Amino acid sequence: MGAVRALNPMGYPPDVQQVQMAPRMGTLRGKTVYLVDARFDDSDIFMQQMEAWFRDNRPDINAVYVAKRGIYTQPDPELFARIRDEGAAAVVGVGH
Amino acid sequence: MQTDIFFDAVRQTAWAEGMPHQRFVYVPQPVMGKSPQELRAYLDGNDPITGRPVMEEVIEALTKPLTETERQAVRFDRSTPRDAVAESEAALHQLFMDSHWTDYMPIILPTEERVQEMLAGTSRRPDEIVGRLRPTSTREAWQFDVEKVAINAVMAGAKPAYLPVILALAASGVTARGSTTSSAASMAVVNGPIRRSIGMNWGTGALGPYNHANATIGRAYGLLSQNLQGGSVPGHTYLGSQGNNYAYNSLTFAENEERSPWAPFHVRHGYQRYDSTVSCFSGCRATSYLLGLRRDHWQEHVTNLLRGLNPHTPPTLILDPITANLFVERGGFDTPEKLEDWIWEHAKLPASVYWDDQLIQNYVYPRAENGEKPWADYLNAAPDELIPMYRREDVHVLVVGGETNGYWRIMGCNYGRTVLVDDWR
């Protein structure tokens, strides 16, 4: 039986450029970690609970809760610059 | 941080953003509606994907040195082959289904010969770029040419004469396969002379399965959206929790310009009556309906319908000509803009109720905080003060139906854009 052929209906994907991961700092002791509320469905409560977890369990880490500005799909350049300048790391959540 | 149900979508999105080894930690779904104590328990518990303590993973993700794999350069090798080949016609149908290229209804296999016949419906070259589509604003956009649109048109069972409308839909940039968890569909409304020349239905049953052009153009809109944007696969590129039956045909119909008391939709959006256009709406989920307009209490009845809609998705009135004329008679709306004004003025909620809505919290409140009008003006409203649910410019009116009765409906949806079909002939 011979092969049957049709045309592929998928579009053309864009090129992907790799983004290198940031080097890790080994320890968070004495450093500031921003806990960023992504602004989606009660993520503020979740990230505030994470801040409480750090306070209860790792008081040696300066965990700072912050809500990004704008809706969850929008970047917040001011906040991202602040994290870059003043923070050691960030956790963004919660995607759901 | 993510919830576990989005594991596949998260990995796929990170890969497409060039971060295939991005570190994620997962907690159970849902987060919404959980108490602070319940969410703390998520953090004190284990990652449902790995089984390891959540906060241990969080700290490790931030501190553990990058592995050899994480430091390596990655080859993002992907392309779309022109052909799809199988041992038999049945096997080829199975291949299309297994590849998630169909809507699980029978398709016409897009052979080279059939696609060539379809391409006779346009003067555009097969390799001309038509546009880009994406499942949602935060995901990558895929590109496509005229031939790719024609392939999907063949699959849907469309005729070559419909291709200019289908190309215009593809060029709109408005996908009919949005990935939103809210399970939205799209709506396509055709105006102008092409409605008649390709035999579309704007009368009895126009929104139902009773016309070849309406049925196959709408189906083509869905198929081309899912395939040209890179997929609409549950858990990966489609996340609608319940799904949406409107998506089978994308609510595709022609406006009843002949029996409408008003100027057609496309003329009110900058086009001439002799232009042929297609207008795309997205976010179609909520529908409410009414029969006619009673003389004494029509205002209360319409206001009740509006109050039943979600305040985040504005109303488009889809009126049978009988009811369009009743709106003229009862309310003196001799232009649709006057009716849209009335709708906007009467769709209101107490400020406290409005701001507490989950979708308003997600999508409007952050914009109000950023000073965007009109929402910023409502931030200081007293809790009981009635504030508009919608922006005036987001309220629309369409006329369709065969006048078998005066039933009409309100579709909660967002008007995207109108595209000139004549550009794609």
Side-chain angles (χ1 to χ4, degrees):
Chain A
M1 187 184 295
V4 181
R5 176 175 164 270
L7 299 185
N8 184 315
M10 295 289 282
Y12 304 111
D15 290 336
V16 178
Q17 302 299 321
Q18 187 171 5
V19 178
Q20 291 297 333
M21 293 174 69
R24 271 34 180 183
M25 68 285 291
T27 179
L28 297 174
R29 189 167 297 123
K31 297 189 166 78
T32 296
V33 177
Y34 283 92
L35 309 177
V36 182
D37 165 18
R39 304 293 293 267
F40 191 77
D41 287 1
D42 294 340
S43 58
D44 54 341
I45 304 171
F46 181 86
M47 297 308 283
Q48 285 161 3
Q49 286 304 306
M50 187 179 286
E51 185 183 42
W53 185 94
F54 273 100
R55 196 167 52 239
D56 295 344
N57 295 280
R58 291 296 304 270
D60 57 318
I61 299 170
N62 180 34
V64 179
Y65 165 83
V66 59
K68 69 175 285 299
R69 291 189 71 84
I71 61 176
Y72 63 92
T73 57
Q74 297 173 314
D76 182 349
E78 282 183 26
L79 175 62
F80 296 167
R82 179 178 156 204
I83 292 170
R84 191 167 50 245
D85 295 344
E86 302 173 13
V91 179
V92 182
V94 53
H96 61 298
Chain B
M1 299 292 300
Q2 307 281 344
T3 56
D4 59 335
I5 199 159
F6 296 113
F7 177 79
D8 290 329
V10 164
R11 300 304 331 176
Q12 187 178 44
T13 303
W15 188 92
E17 292 293 327
M19 298 181 286
H21 303 302
Q22 172 80 353
R23 293 173 174 178
F24 292 101
V25 178
Y26 297 87
V27 292
Q29 174 85 336
V31 166
M32 183 185 69
K34 293 293 182 186
S35 68
Q37 293 75 21
E38 289 170 314
L39 294 178
R40 177 59 183 264
Y42 282 4
L43 294 165
D44 289 331
N46 292 334
D47 179 328
I49 300 292
T50 65
R52 297 184 55 217
V54 165
M55 290 308 296
E56 189 177 304
E57 283 191 328
V58 168
I59 291 177
E60 189 176 288
L62 297 173
T63 58
K64 186 180 173 187
L66 299 186
T67 65
E68 187 66 28
T69 302
E70 288 172 331
R71 285 198 302 270
Q72 276 176 351
V74 176
R75 278 175 58 97
F76 294 90
D77 187 19
R78 56 179 179 170
S79 58
T80 304
R82 184 157 185 265
D83 295 336
V85 182
E87 289 299 312
S88 66
E89 191 173 312
L92 199 50
H93 274 289
Q94 192 64 47
L95 171 66
F96 271 63
M97 197 137 39
D98 292 346
S99 302
H100 306 284
W101 292 341
T102 77
D103 52 11
Y104 298 91
M105 309 270 248
I107 57 154
I108 306 295
L109 285 173
T111 61
E112 180 101 45
E113 183 183 22
R114 289 172 180 149
V115 173
Q116 287 302 316
E117 289 170 6
M118 181 61 67
L119 286 166
T122 181
S123 61
R124 297 294 193 114
R125 292 194 328 271
D127 62 351
E128 278 191 62
I129 297 301
V130 178
R132 293 168 187 265
L133 284 168
R134 62 179 86 211
T136 189
S137 64
T138 53
R139 298 188 80 138
E140 61 176 351
W142 286 38
Q143 185 170 271
F144 46 87
D145 55 24
V146 170
E147 181 179 86
K148 286 291 187 186
V149 177
I151 292 168
N152 284 277
V154 169
M155 289 169 62
K159 295 178 181 176
Y162 310 161
L163 187 59
V165 180
I166 297 168
L167 283 164
L169 285 165
S172 72
V174 179
T175 181
R177 291 282 192 272
S179 62
T180 172
T181 53
S182 65
S183 307
S186 291
M187 181 166 77
V189 183
V190 178
N191 280 105
I194 201 165
R195 295 170 310 132
R196 189 175 294 279
S197 66
I198 62 174
M200 290 193 76
N201 183 10
W202 53 83
T204 303
L207 275 76
Y210 305 105
N211 176 275
H212 189 266
N214 294 29
T216 59
I217 291 171
R219 188 187 187 201
Y221 185 25
L223 290 175
L224 72 85
S225 294
Q226 70 185 57
N227 291 325
L228 301 181
Q229 73 184 9
S232 184
V233 180
H236 294 259
T237 39
Y238 181 76
L239 302 169
S241 189
Q242 295 182 318
N244 192 324
N245 233 267
Y246 288 153
Y248 280 110
N249 168 254
S250 301
L251 292 152
T252 300
F253 60 92
E255 195 176 27
N256 192 339
E257 300 176 17
E258 287 73 5
R259 297 289 298 161
S260 171
W262 303 309
F265 185 84
H266 70 312
V267 172
R268 305 193 318 260
H269 289 80
Y271 295 91
Q272 304 296 319
R273 277 186 181 269
Y274 54 75
D275 291 331
S276 292
T277 66
V278 62
S279 300
C280 302
F281 298 73
S282 60
C284 300
R285 290 167 291 249
T287 318
S288 57
Y289 84 105
L290 200 62
L291 174 55
L293 289 177
R294 298 287 290 171
R295 188 177 307 278
D296 292 337
H297 291 287
W298 69 267
Q299 298 187 8
E300 290 89 336
H301 295 152
V302 176
T303 303
N304 284 343
L305 288 193
L306 293 166
R307 289 284 291 271
L309 294 175
N310 183 276
H312 180 243
T313 312
T316 290
L317 276 59
I318 302 176
L319 305 176
D320 189 275
I322 288 176
T323 312
N325 283 293
L326 272 175
F327 269 114
V328 175
E329 183 183 323
R330 299 269 192 255
F333 306 123
D334 54 358
T335 69
E337 290 81 6
K338 290 180 182 174
L339 174 55
E340 290 164 358
D341 285 341
W342 189 94
I343 293 293
W344 175 74
E345 287 165 3
H346 287 77
K348 291 185 173 176
L349 277 177
S352 58
V353 176
Y354 176 84
W355 288 118
D356 187 54
D357 184 278
Q358 184 70 64
L359 286 167
I360 298 301
Q361 279 289 309
N362 285 0
Y363 294 99
V364 178
Y365 186 73
R367 297 174 71 175
E369 277 186 321
N370 276 347
E372 278 193 60
K373 289 182 179 290
W375 305 296
D377 295 336
Y378 309 147
L379 281 174
N380 294 325
D384 293 335
E385 183 181 338
L386 292 175
I387 60 174
M389 294 162 67
Y390 309 107
R391 295 186 302 185
R392 166 63 185 85
E393 63 266 33
D394 294 334
V395 178
H396 299 285
V397 175
L398 297 163
V399 178
V400 63
E403 300 176 73
T404 58
N405 207 337
Y407 284 103
W408 61 284
R409 68 188 90 183
I410 300 178
M411 179 68 70
C413 59
N414 302 290
Y415 169 54
R417 61 180 294 216
T418 297
V419 180
L420 191 62
V421 171
D422 303 320
D423 282 346
W424 295 98
R425 289 183 189 271

